[in-house]
Amino acid sequence: MNKKQKKVLIRVIVASVLLILCAVLPTTGYVRFATFMVPYLVIGYDILKKAWKGILNKQVFDENFLMAVATVGAILLGEYPEGVAVMLFYQIGELFQSYAVGKSRRNISELMDIRPDYANIEVDGKLEQVDPDEVEVGTIIVVQPGEKIPIDGVIEEGNTTLNTSALTGESVPRDAREGDEVISGCINMSGLIKVKTTKEFGESTVSKILDLVENSSSKKSRSENFISKFAKYYTPAVCYGALALAILPPLVRMLFLSAAPEWSIWIYRALTFLVISCPCALVISIPLSFFAGIGGASHEGVLVKGSNYLETLSQTKYVVFDKTGTMTQGVFEVAGIHHNTISQEDVLEYAALAECASSHPISKSLQRAYGKLIDRSRVTDIEEISGNGVTAKVDGKNVAAGNAKLMERLGVDYIDCHSVGTIVHVAVDGKYAGHILICDMIKPHAKEAIQALRKSGIKKTIMLTGDSKRIADQVAADLGIDEVYSELLPGDKVSKVEELLDAKTEKEKLAFVGDGINDAPVLSRADIGIAMGALGSDAAIEAADIVLMDDDPLKISKAIHISRKCIHIVYENIYFAIGIKVLFLLLGAIGIANMWMAIFADVGVMILAVLNAIRALFVKNL
């Protein structure tokens, strides 16, 4: 609890004790009135003050005004215990609501802890702490073990392990070494590193994420907008309704029935009507449900830009994926080695050495798979044959590494490979040595992600790619994706998404999932744009509606689960709160519900609705 909440708790306890004492003491008349006024003012002075300010500012109709009128009216009618009790229980409900909001804010606050306080710059052999805003691009900053990386950059010196849990929601640390890019907000866990900054602090990942979260509450869902409009008209309506209830029945009784008007009975019913009608349960619990949902999602490494996007995501029935970088790793890797006359290790070694002078992604993948320091002194006479491959002398032997065209050009009988991917054939001294399969590897959880989406009620999964039909069909079949469209240009992807949008119904929403780097047009065009693998991607954070802060496709189904749970809770609270209010308003109008029942209809319903709302914070493992 914060200081303000503790003060309210103390007031609640003191007022409760005083109320019990006042009820027990055998007082009458003005003495009884004076004794009950003590706990009433202890617990309600701030509500009375807010109500008076509202009247002065011509903003009369709010919950403070309703509580003030109802409790003052009860006291004037001589119902002292009920007047004090209404104010007491209202404050208990407010305290409970304040605590619940604080609890839901803690997940957001944990995310806010990624904001760095300083950056270390080395000056004359000593470290000086400076404000991250003052650090220019290209500056070398020093990050010691246990410190946050303050600004995006590239490691110039040192190796370490990074804790990225504040950004991704994942507890598994990541290794980082010289030449690797690092982003702000990660915690340096082990070694001292020197980082050359590549962005200003205001443009760094941490700043963009913080700005995204801080502004998420400004983008309200239709449910929240409905409640805001509802409260705007509802509160004045019930105030006038209460006034009519207090005046009209006694007048009718007096004028038409020639009976005593019974003013006190109908004024009491009107005051009870006011207490019941207080819209706290709706006004508090609905925004709290969305806030809790966004907080629970951020804890899982899912950043939602506003409750409107959370609402749209819950209605998603079609999920469209980009392939490269989304369902696949976007990095060529050696997937298999088939040897003929020499061992697998020798096939890979000869290929890596022959390709050592090339910067082509295929060559880089061979060198990574080889995993040893390449001794270029072993390689001579390198010749690159465009569209075919390379030839070179390795340890004095003639080595050729390339596609089938190169083998045919050299007159080498090769063994064809039917696997999907890039095939690098290797020949040594004119004899076929084997071939290496290189492909863009499917992400570890991609297949599970598709299965999880199907279980969650997604009607159809679709994949769009610029790759060849053969590769696209193979990947789609391996993952279990329903439809695949291949050999598409970026503009073709937008057109295809528009076709899919036209084919579905209005209530069914379409989500596009991309890596956020070259998918901005499609992310913007879909009903909901989800950027994944977006750690440090400016394009993703700006173009997408939802950002998954790591590259795990399983987070997509988790995000949908969070959104649906949140919306389910919102509608539960709307139906429950309105249903109870209507029932008790009718009971109050006909005199069955008294002030104590009104307390339950107001504070009790609010507490139950708030308890239900904070369930959105908790996300079960799927």
Side-chain angles (χ1 to χ4, degrees):
M1 281 190 172
N2 57 37
K3 288 183 180 179
K4 185 178 179 181
Q5 290 169 342
K6 288 178 181 177
K7 284 181 180 179
V8 174
L9 179 60
I10 291 170
R11 286 170 55 202
V12 166
I13 294 170
V14 171
S16 299
V17 172
L18 290 173
L19 177 60
I20 294 169
L21 288 174
C22 291
V24 172
L25 289 173
T27 55
T28 57
Y30 289 111
V31 176
R32 182 174 173 79
F33 169 76
T35 54
F36 272 101
M37 284 304 293
V38 175
Y40 178 74
L41 291 174
V42 166
I43 196 63
Y45 74 87
D46 55 334
I47 301 298
L48 297 173
K49 187 177 177 182
K50 289 175 184 176
W52 178 247
K53 283 185 177 179
I55 294 170
L56 294 178
N57 294 327
K58 298 181 180 180
Q59 295 176 342
V60 178
F61 300 111
D62 62 8
E63 62 270 20
N64 296 308
F65 177 77
L66 295 179
M67 287 298 110
V69 171
T71 55
V72 169
I75 289 170
L76 292 176
L77 289 174
E79 304 291 346
Y80 306 135
E82 286 155 318
V84 177
V86 168
M87 191 65 81
L88 175 64
F89 284 106
Y90 176 74
Q91 288 283 38
I92 291 172
E94 288 290 295
L95 177 63
F96 191 86
Q97 175 259 332
S98 175
Y99 179 76
V101 170
K103 187 175 178 63
S104 66
R105 280 185 183 276
R106 276 195 283 274
N107 279 335
I108 298 291
S109 296
E110 286 176 10
L111 186 66
M112 294 305 178
D113 284 341
I114 65 179
R115 186 189 298 277
D117 299 318
Y118 60 86
N120 295 320
I121 296 180
E122 193 170 350
V123 179
D124 297 328
K126 294 182 180 179
L127 293 183
E128 286 188 7
Q129 292 185 355
V130 299
D131 192 313
D133 279 315
E134 298 175 2
V135 179
E136 296 179 354
V137 175
T139 303
I140 302 295
I141 58 174
V142 179
V143 186
Q144 301 179 100
E147 292 183 333
K148 298 185 187 81
I149 295 175
I151 307 170
D152 297 3
V154 177
I155 297 178
E156 290 284 302
E157 184 180 321
N159 300 322
T160 189
T161 303
L162 299 177
N163 180 350
T164 64
S165 59
L167 299 174
T168 65
E170 299 296 332
S171 58
V172 179
R174 299 186 179 187
D175 293 328
R177 56 181 60 86
E178 200 172 304
D180 288 349
E181 291 186 8
V182 291
I183 64 169
S184 49
C186 298
I187 298 173
N188 181 15
M189 295 176 64
S190 52
L192 183 145
I193 55 173
K194 292 185 179 182
V195 178
K196 184 176 183 180
T197 62
T198 55
K199 297 177 183 177
E200 293 180 350
F201 176 70
E203 295 297 319
S204 64
T205 301
V206 67
S207 292
K208 290 182 179 291
I209 292 170
L210 293 173
D211 181 65
L212 182 156
V213 176
E214 286 164 355
N215 292 322
S216 63
S217 61
S218 65
K219 297 173 182 175
K220 296 185 181 297
S221 66
R222 285 178 296 173
S223 303
E224 283 182 286
N225 287 326
F226 162 73
I227 293 302
S228 298
K229 291 178 182 177
F230 176 81
K232 183 179 178 181
Y233 297 104
Y234 168 81
T235 307
V238 296
C239 286
Y240 293 127
L243 185 63
L245 187 63
I247 296 173
L248 294 179
L251 286 177
V252 169
R253 182 181 172 87
M254 183 175 65
L255 296 174
F256 295 99
L257 301 178
S258 300
E262 297 181 338
W263 291 105
S264 61
I265 292 175
W266 288 100
I267 290 173
Y268 180 81
R269 289 185 185 182
L271 295 174
T272 302
F273 188 91
L274 280 181
V275 174
I276 295 169
S277 66
C278 186
C280 298
L282 288 172
V283 173
I284 291 169
S285 69
I286 305 309
L288 178 60
S289 299
F290 282 109
F291 190 83
I294 291 172
S298 69
H299 188 262
E300 296 295 319
V302 179
L303 299 183
V304 183
K305 287 188 175 180
S307 51
N308 55 333
Y309 301 123
L310 207 62
E311 190 170 46
T312 303
L313 184 64
S314 69
Q315 302 167 347
T316 299
K317 290 296 180 182
Y318 298 88
V319 180
V320 181
F321 296 93
D322 177 50
K323 182 184 81 70
T324 306
T326 302
M327 302 309 287
T328 63
Q329 295 178 10
V331 177
F332 289 105
E333 290 187 7
V334 171
I337 303 172
H338 303 270
H339 60 105
N340 189 25
T341 57
I342 58 177
S343 68
Q344 287 186 358
E345 292 78 9
D346 288 341
V347 171
L348 180 58
E349 182 175 18
Y350 280 124
L353 287 166
E355 297 269 7
C356 69
S358 175
S359 59
H360 192 279
I362 299 296
S363 304
K364 293 294 183 184
S365 65
L366 290 170
Q367 292 166 40
R368 279 196 303 273
Y370 178 52
K372 299 176 184 178
L373 187 64
I374 291 179
D375 183 1
R376 293 211 178 190
S377 64
R378 297 171 57 189
V379 188
T380 59
D381 300 339
I382 298 174
E383 182 184 355
E384 186 167 348
I385 303 171
S386 181
N388 286 241
V390 298
T391 60
K393 281 194 174 182
V394 179
D395 297 333
K397 295 182 178 180
N398 292 315
V399 176
N403 55 25
K405 291 180 183 178
L406 180 63
M407 296 297 106
E408 291 170 359
R409 179 173 183 156
L410 299 175
V412 175
D413 292 330
Y414 63 94
I415 299 172
D416 201 6
C417 180
H418 299 288
S419 299
V420 176
T422 300
I423 309 301
V424 178
H425 297 282
V426 181
V428 179
D429 284 337
K431 294 182 180 179
Y432 189 65
H435 57 260
I436 301 167
L437 174 64
I438 298 174
C439 48
D440 186 1
M441 304 296 287
I442 291 174
K443 287 184 177 177
H445 296 145
K447 189 172 184 178
E448 294 172 58
I450 299 299
Q451 293 171 349
L453 287 172
R454 197 163 281 121
K455 287 179 183 177
S456 68
I458 296 299
K459 280 188 176 182
K460 189 179 287 185
T461 54
I462 302 140
M463 188 175 76
L464 308 180
T465 179
D467 276 352
S468 67
K469 188 177 188 303
R470 184 185 176 198
I471 292 175
D473 289 346
Q474 182 66 54
V475 171
D478 290 344
L479 294 175
I481 289 176
D482 299 317
E483 290 181 13
V484 59
Y485 299 93
S486 55
E487 300 177 4
L488 300 175
L489 297 172
D492 298 332
K493 291 182 182 180
V494 176
S495 300
K496 182 54 67 176
V497 166
E498 287 177 343
E499 283 179 27
L500 295 168
L501 287 168
D502 292 337
K504 67 178 182 59
T505 64
E506 181 64 29
K507 290 184 179 179
E508 296 174 332
K509 301 301 181 184
L510 180 144
F512 179 81
V513 188
D515 60 12
I517 295 169
N518 56 4
D519 296 318
V522 204
L523 286 167
S524 301
R525 183 65 188 88
D527 291 322
I528 194 86
I530 304 174
M532 62 179 302
L535 203 60
S537 169
D538 294 343
I541 293 174
E542 290 171 8
D545 306 314
I546 294 172
V547 181
L548 309 184
M549 292 309 295
D550 64 4
D551 60 354
D552 187 356
L554 271 175
K555 289 282 179 74
I556 303 166
S557 58
K558 180 166 282 191
I560 292 173
H561 170 74
I562 291 168
S563 69
R564 288 178 179 170
K565 180 179 178 181
C566 179
I567 298 301
H568 185 70
I569 289 170
V570 165
Y571 283 107
E572 281 179 350
N573 282 345
I574 290 174
Y575 295 142
F576 172 69
I578 292 179
I580 294 294
K581 292 283 182 188
V582 170
L583 174 62
F584 276 82
L585 284 172
L586 292 174
L587 293 176
I590 61 177
I592 295 176
N594 59 20
M595 196 71 79
W596 295 102
M597 295 174 72
I599 291 170
F600 166 74
D602 175 35
V603 179
V605 169
M606 181 177 73
I607 289 175
L608 292 174
V610 166
L611 272 173
N612 195 38
I614 61 176
R615 289 197 301 118
L617 273 172
F618 307 106
V619 184
K620 293 180 181 178
N621 292 324
L622 301 179

